[in-house]
Amino acid sequence: MAEHRTMQRGALLDAARSLLSEGGTEALTFPALAERTGLARSSVYEYFRSRAAVVEELCAVDFPLWAAEVELAMADADTPQDKVAAYVRRQLDLVGDRRHRAVVAISAGELDDGAREKIRAAHGGLVTMVVEALADLGMAEPRLGAMLLQGVVDAAVRRIELGVAEDPDSIAEAAVTMALHGVTGPTA
Protein backbone atom coordinates (compact mmCIF):
# COMPACT_ATOMS: atom_id res chain seq x y z
CA MET A 1 0.00 0.00 0.00
CA ALA A 2 2.74 2.47 0.95
CA GLU A 3 4.58 1.63 -2.27
CA HIS A 4 1.40 2.32 -4.28
CA ARG A 5 0.99 5.72 -2.57
CA THR A 6 4.64 6.54 -3.32
CA MET A 7 4.11 5.66 -6.98
CA GLN A 8 0.97 7.80 -7.18
CA ARG A 9 2.74 10.71 -5.47
CA GLY A 10 5.59 10.35 -7.97
CA ALA A 11 3.11 10.28 -10.87
CA LEU A 12 1.47 13.45 -9.54
CA LEU A 13 4.85 15.21 -9.27
CA ASP A 14 5.73 14.09 -12.79
CA ALA A 15 2.40 15.39 -14.09
CA ALA A 16 3.02 18.66 -12.24
CA ARG A 17 6.44 18.98 -13.90
CA SER A 18 4.88 18.48 -17.32
CA LEU A 19 2.09 20.98 -16.68
CA LEU A 20 4.55 23.57 -15.37
CA SER A 21 6.93 23.17 -18.29
CA GLU A 22 4.06 23.36 -20.80
CA GLY A 23 2.08 26.25 -19.35
CA GLY A 24 3.74 27.73 -16.27
CA THR A 25 2.14 27.90 -12.84
CA GLU A 26 -1.32 28.76 -14.27
CA ALA A 27 -1.41 25.31 -15.93
CA LEU A 28 -0.85 23.56 -12.60
CA THR A 29 -4.40 22.86 -11.41
CA PHE A 30 -5.89 19.95 -9.51
CA PRO A 31 -8.30 19.09 -12.37
CA ALA A 32 -5.33 18.99 -14.77
CA LEU A 33 -3.31 16.84 -12.34
CA ALA A 34 -6.27 14.46 -11.98
CA GLU A 35 -6.69 14.23 -15.76
CA ARG A 36 -2.95 13.61 -16.37
CA THR A 37 -2.70 10.88 -13.75
CA GLY A 38 -6.13 9.28 -14.16
CA LEU A 39 -6.87 9.90 -10.48
CA ALA A 40 -10.09 11.42 -9.17
CA ARG A 41 -9.69 15.06 -8.18
CA SER A 42 -10.53 14.09 -4.58
CA SER A 43 -7.58 11.67 -4.67
CA VAL A 44 -5.23 14.48 -5.65
CA TYR A 45 -6.28 16.28 -2.44
CA GLU A 46 -5.29 13.19 -0.43
CA TYR A 47 -1.68 13.78 -1.53
CA PHE A 48 -1.51 17.59 -1.64
CA ARG A 49 -3.68 20.07 0.24
CA SER A 50 -3.04 22.87 -2.27
CA ARG A 51 -1.22 23.90 -5.44
CA ALA A 52 1.38 25.55 -3.21
CA ALA A 53 2.00 22.18 -1.51
CA VAL A 54 2.72 20.62 -4.93
CA VAL A 55 5.13 23.45 -5.74
CA GLU A 56 6.83 23.15 -2.34
CA GLU A 57 7.37 19.42 -2.81
CA LEU A 58 8.76 19.95 -6.31
CA CYS A 59 11.16 22.53 -4.86
CA ALA A 60 12.24 20.08 -2.17
CA VAL A 61 12.84 17.33 -4.75
CA ASP A 62 14.06 19.19 -7.84
CA PHE A 63 16.06 22.18 -6.59
CA PRO A 64 18.69 19.98 -4.89
CA LEU A 65 19.14 18.07 -8.18
CA TRP A 66 19.61 21.36 -10.06
CA ALA A 67 22.10 22.55 -7.43
CA ALA A 68 24.00 19.24 -7.50
CA GLU A 69 24.44 19.52 -11.27
CA VAL A 70 25.73 23.07 -10.96
CA GLU A 71 28.06 22.06 -8.11
CA LEU A 72 29.43 19.17 -10.18
CA ALA A 73 30.15 21.48 -13.13
CA MET A 74 31.94 23.92 -10.83
CA ALA A 75 34.00 21.12 -9.23
CA ASP A 76 35.34 20.21 -12.69
CA ALA A 77 36.55 23.79 -13.25
CA ASP A 78 40.12 24.72 -12.30
CA THR A 79 40.26 28.51 -11.93
CA PRO A 80 37.85 30.87 -10.14
CA GLN A 81 36.92 32.34 -13.57
CA ASP A 82 36.14 28.86 -14.89
CA LYS A 83 34.06 28.12 -11.78
CA VAL A 84 31.97 31.28 -12.32
CA ALA A 85 31.56 30.43 -16.01
CA ALA A 86 30.51 26.85 -15.10
CA TYR A 87 28.02 28.23 -12.55
CA VAL A 88 26.36 30.34 -15.25
CA ARG A 89 26.61 27.88 -18.16
CA ARG A 90 25.35 24.82 -16.29
CA GLN A 91 22.24 26.60 -15.03
CA LEU A 92 21.46 27.78 -18.55
CA ASP A 93 22.10 24.29 -19.97
CA LEU A 94 19.54 22.91 -17.52
CA VAL A 95 16.78 25.19 -18.82
CA GLY A 96 15.98 22.76 -21.65
CA ASP A 97 15.80 19.69 -19.40
CA ARG A 98 12.16 18.75 -18.69
CA ARG A 99 12.73 18.14 -14.98
CA HIS A 100 14.45 21.48 -14.64
CA ARG A 101 11.93 23.36 -16.78
CA ALA A 102 9.55 22.90 -13.84
CA VAL A 103 12.07 24.65 -11.57
CA VAL A 104 12.23 27.53 -14.06
CA ALA A 105 8.42 27.76 -14.25
CA ILE A 106 8.14 27.67 -10.46
CA SER A 107 10.75 30.42 -10.12
CA ALA A 108 8.89 32.62 -12.61
CA GLY A 109 5.41 31.97 -11.21
CA GLU A 110 3.10 33.82 -8.86
CA LEU A 111 3.25 31.83 -5.65
CA ASP A 112 2.19 32.11 -2.05
CA ASP A 113 4.67 33.23 0.60
CA GLY A 114 5.52 29.70 1.80
CA ALA A 115 6.44 28.48 -1.67
CA ARG A 116 8.31 31.70 -2.43
CA GLU A 117 10.31 31.29 0.80
CA LYS A 118 11.29 27.72 -0.17
CA ILE A 119 12.47 28.97 -3.57
CA ARG A 120 14.43 31.79 -1.94
CA ALA A 121 16.11 29.29 0.38
CA ALA A 122 16.94 26.99 -2.55
CA HIS A 123 18.34 29.90 -4.55
CA GLY A 124 20.30 30.95 -1.48
CA GLY A 125 21.99 27.55 -1.44
CA LEU A 126 22.81 27.93 -5.13
CA VAL A 127 24.23 31.42 -4.65
CA THR A 128 26.44 30.20 -1.77
CA MET A 129 28.25 27.89 -4.22
CA VAL A 130 29.76 30.76 -6.18
CA VAL A 131 30.68 33.06 -3.27
CA GLU A 132 34.11 31.47 -2.77
CA ALA A 133 35.02 31.77 -6.46
CA LEU A 134 34.04 35.46 -6.42
CA ALA A 135 36.10 36.01 -3.25
CA ASP A 136 39.04 34.29 -4.96
CA LEU A 137 38.64 36.76 -7.84
CA GLY A 138 39.10 39.60 -5.34
CA MET A 139 35.49 40.78 -5.14
CA ALA A 140 35.09 42.96 -2.04
CA GLU A 141 31.54 41.77 -1.29
CA PRO A 142 31.36 38.26 -2.77
CA ARG A 143 27.94 37.38 -1.24
CA LEU A 144 26.36 40.48 -2.78
CA GLY A 145 28.19 39.76 -6.02
CA ALA A 146 26.83 36.20 -6.01
CA MET A 147 23.26 37.46 -5.61
CA LEU A 148 23.74 39.93 -8.46
CA LEU A 149 25.32 37.20 -10.58
CA GLN A 150 22.27 34.99 -9.96
CA GLY A 151 20.17 37.92 -11.20
CA VAL A 152 22.10 37.79 -14.49
CA VAL A 153 21.52 34.03 -14.68
CA ASP A 154 17.79 34.44 -13.93
CA ALA A 155 17.47 37.11 -16.65
CA ALA A 156 19.26 34.81 -19.12
CA VAL A 157 16.94 31.93 -18.15
CA ARG A 158 13.89 34.12 -18.83
CA ARG A 159 15.37 35.20 -22.17
CA ILE A 160 15.92 31.56 -23.19
CA GLU A 161 12.40 30.66 -22.02
CA LEU A 162 10.89 33.43 -24.14
CA GLY A 163 12.41 31.82 -27.23
CA VAL A 164 13.65 35.19 -28.49
CA ALA A 165 15.81 35.77 -31.55
CA GLU A 166 19.15 34.75 -29.98
CA ASP A 167 19.93 31.09 -29.63
CA PRO A 168 20.48 29.74 -26.08
CA ASP A 169 24.26 29.38 -26.62
CA SER A 170 24.56 33.09 -27.52
CA ILE A 171 22.55 34.04 -24.44
CA ALA A 172 24.77 31.80 -22.27
CA GLU A 173 27.95 33.34 -23.70
CA ALA A 174 26.62 36.87 -23.16
CA ALA A 175 25.74 35.97 -19.54
CA VAL A 176 29.21 34.48 -18.94
CA THR A 177 30.86 37.58 -20.45
CA MET A 178 28.69 39.81 -18.24
CA ALA A 179 29.57 37.68 -15.20
CA LEU A 180 33.31 37.76 -15.82
CA HIS A 181 33.81 41.16 -17.43
CA GLY A 182 30.82 43.35 -16.56
CA VAL A 183 29.38 45.74 -19.10
CA THR A 184 32.73 46.59 -20.69
CA GLY A 185 33.38 43.07 -21.94
CA PRO A 186 36.82 41.44 -22.10
CA THR A 187 39.68 43.90 -22.49
CA ALA A 188 41.43 43.86 -25.82
Side-chain angles (χ1 to χ4, degrees):
M1 184 66 183
E3 189 177 316
H4 180 68
R5 286 190 61 78
T6 302
M7 280 175 50
Q8 285 190 326
R9 189 176 204 85
L12 284 165
L13 289 175
D14 234 21
R17 284 184 193 100
S18 293
L19 290 165
L20 284 164
S21 64
E22 291 162 18
T25 50
E26 304 78 43
L28 181 60
T29 65
F30 277 36
L33 282 171
E35 187 180 325
R36 287 284 169 104
T37 57
L39 293 170
R41 196 185 315 182
S42 58
S43 295
V44 177
Y45 283 100
E46 289 176 31
Y47 292 91
F48 298 103
R49 69 189 181 287
S50 66
R51 218 168 62 124
V54 177
V55 167
E56 286 178 27
E57 180 134 350
L58 279 174
C59 288
V61 172
D62 291 357
F63 263 108
L65 297 174
W66 174 289
E69 296 217 24
V70 173
E71 195 168 25
L72 201 58
M74 290 178 71
D76 286 343
D78 296 324
T79 67
Q81 287 91 338
D82 290 344
K83 286 186 185 306
V84 170
Y87 176 84
V88 173
R89 275 198 193 97
R90 189 64 190 127
Q91 287 189 69
L92 299 180
D93 287 346
L94 292 171
V95 173
D97 180 301
R98 191 181 74 79
R99 172 177 290 266
H100 297 303
R101 286 179 60 82
V103 170
V104 172
I106 289 167
S107 298
E110 289 300 311
L111 302 165
D112 70 23
D113 289 342
R116 229 188 335 272
E117 192 48 49
K118 285 230 175 12
I119 290 166
R120 252 197 301 279
H123 265 113
L126 201 58
V127 164
T128 300
M129 283 186 226
V130 78
V131 171
E132 186 181 340
L134 293 175
D136 290 345
L137 288 171
M139 184 168 264
E141 293 187 58
R143 178 103 188 129
L144 173 60
M147 287 188 266
L148 296 173
L149 173 60
Q150 188 59 42
V152 169
V153 172
D154 293 343
V157 164
R158 282 191 298 280
R159 190 105 183 135
I160 290 169
E161 283 289 296
L162 285 172
V164 293
E166 306 94 357
D167 74 310
D169 290 340
S170 297
I171 294 169
E173 286 317 302
V176 168
T177 299
M178 176 73 79
L180 294 176
H181 307 289
V183 295
T184 58
T187 51

